[in-house]
Amino acid sequence: MKIALYQMHVIPGKPEENIQKIDQWFDQLDEDIDIAVLPEMWNTSYRLKDLNELADNDGEVILPFLQKKAKALKKHIVAGSIAYKKDQEIYNRAIVINKEGSCINTYDKAHLVPMLNEHHYLTSGEKKPTVYKLDEVDMGTIICYDLRFPELSRSLALEDAKVIFVPAQWPKSRIDHWKALLRARAIENQVYVIACNSVGFCDENEFGGNSLVYGPDGTLMDSLYYEEDTLIVEIDFETQEQIREAIPIFNSLRTDLY
């Protein structure tokens, strides 16, 4: 399975321009790419005070765009997350579109970042992320700060997720945490962790790039650095099964204790 990640410089507060950038990126992807992955809040970046005007109202602009694009390109889209407005509430919503153009999964970010006062502008999700299938493989998505809460990733692994996507706008100042936490989530759950971060600035916030893929044994398969770029990686589920057979952690769980 071949996957492309767009380490994007999101233009703050310019949803139309960001849609144009992504549209052009989609059209440049090779035909053999199976899944295209986008970062967090790619329509608005972190212009939190302006989200009431900027957020996509009930997905009426972005969902049709993604569905049409996925169907035309015959590619699945793990569409990162967007600022999504619904009934006067604004969510940081992850979206997954399959290659037939159907929206098969959404998830509203459960953990809001206190350091950015996200809770003043966004409504936290009330449901945990759920597993979905792309090409018959179980996968899941968490969003950025969710990475610091290992219970969320473990809940997906216990539903037999083989891949966990992590769209983010993770700050450059804490990029060491980003890499350490992603690797830990991969090792402890024996999953592929596919992490798509953004780059550039939103006001005083600088994002740290380093989009990367860790294998289910914690091996770094490939990584970008601090510039806008595309990362392409191929993952192998036979290798994953061998890793799980060699160290059968899920057979050793003590559900009677924890």
Side-chain angles (χ1 to χ4, degrees), residues 171-182:
K172 189 174 184 180
S173 60
R174 290 188 285 276
I175 206 66
D176 286 347
H177 291 194
W178 165 253
K179 291 185 280 189
L181 290 166
L182 290 166

Side-chain angles (χ1 to χ4, degrees), residues 140-151:
T141 303
I142 63 173
I143 303 172
C144 200
Y145 188 54
D146 286 336
L147 182 59
R148 292 187 179 273
F149 303 87
E151 299 86 353

Side-chain angles (χ1 to χ4, degrees), residues 82-226:
I82 62 170
Y84 186 103
K85 189 174 182 180
K86 178 74 171 179
D87 299 330
Q88 301 308 307
E89 302 286 346
I90 301 170
Y91 301 90
N92 185 341
R93 177 166 291 187
I95 297 169
V96 181
I97 310 291
N98 69 15
K99 62 186 176 184
E100 286 77 36
S102 297
C103 180
I104 61 167
N105 189 267
T106 63
Y107 160 65
D108 295 328
K109 187 178 181 183
H111 300 98
L112 301 181
V113 183
M115 299 84 79
L116 295 175
N117 290 319
E118 280 189 340
H119 57 289
H120 291 167
Y121 306 100
L122 295 165
T123 300
S124 62
E126 294 299 320
K127 296 181 180 179
K128 74 179 187 69
T130 56
V131 166
Y132 50 88
K133 287 184 182 292
L134 293 177
D135 292 341
E136 301 306 313
V137 178
D138 290 322
M139 305 184 181
T141 303
I142 63 173
I143 303 172
C144 200
Y145 188 54
D146 286 336
L147 182 59
R148 292 187 179 273
F149 303 87
E151 299 86 353
L152 213 56
S153 298
R154 175 51 59 92
S155 73
L156 291 169
L158 290 174
E159 292 182 37
D160 207 28
K162 303 295 193 300
V163 179
I164 295 178
F165 293 96
V166 190
Q169 287 207 297
W170 196 278
K172 189 174 184 180
S173 60
R174 290 188 285 276
I175 206 66
D176 286 347
H177 291 194
W178 165 253
K179 291 185 280 189
L181 290 166
L182 290 166
R183 190 177 185 216
R185 298 296 86 84
I187 293 169
E188 70 197 6
N189 295 302
Q190 296 178 324
V191 296
Y192 286 100
V193 169
I194 297 175
C196 186
N197 200 17
S198 60
V199 293
F201 285 84
C202 180
D203 302 323
E204 72 278 7
N205 298 309
E206 183 178 10
F207 304 111
N210 281 267
S211 297
L212 54 80
V213 177
Y214 281 116
D217 60 352
T219 299
L220 179 62
M221 299 180 65
D222 207 348
S223 176
L224 297 176
Y225 295 97
Y226 296 110

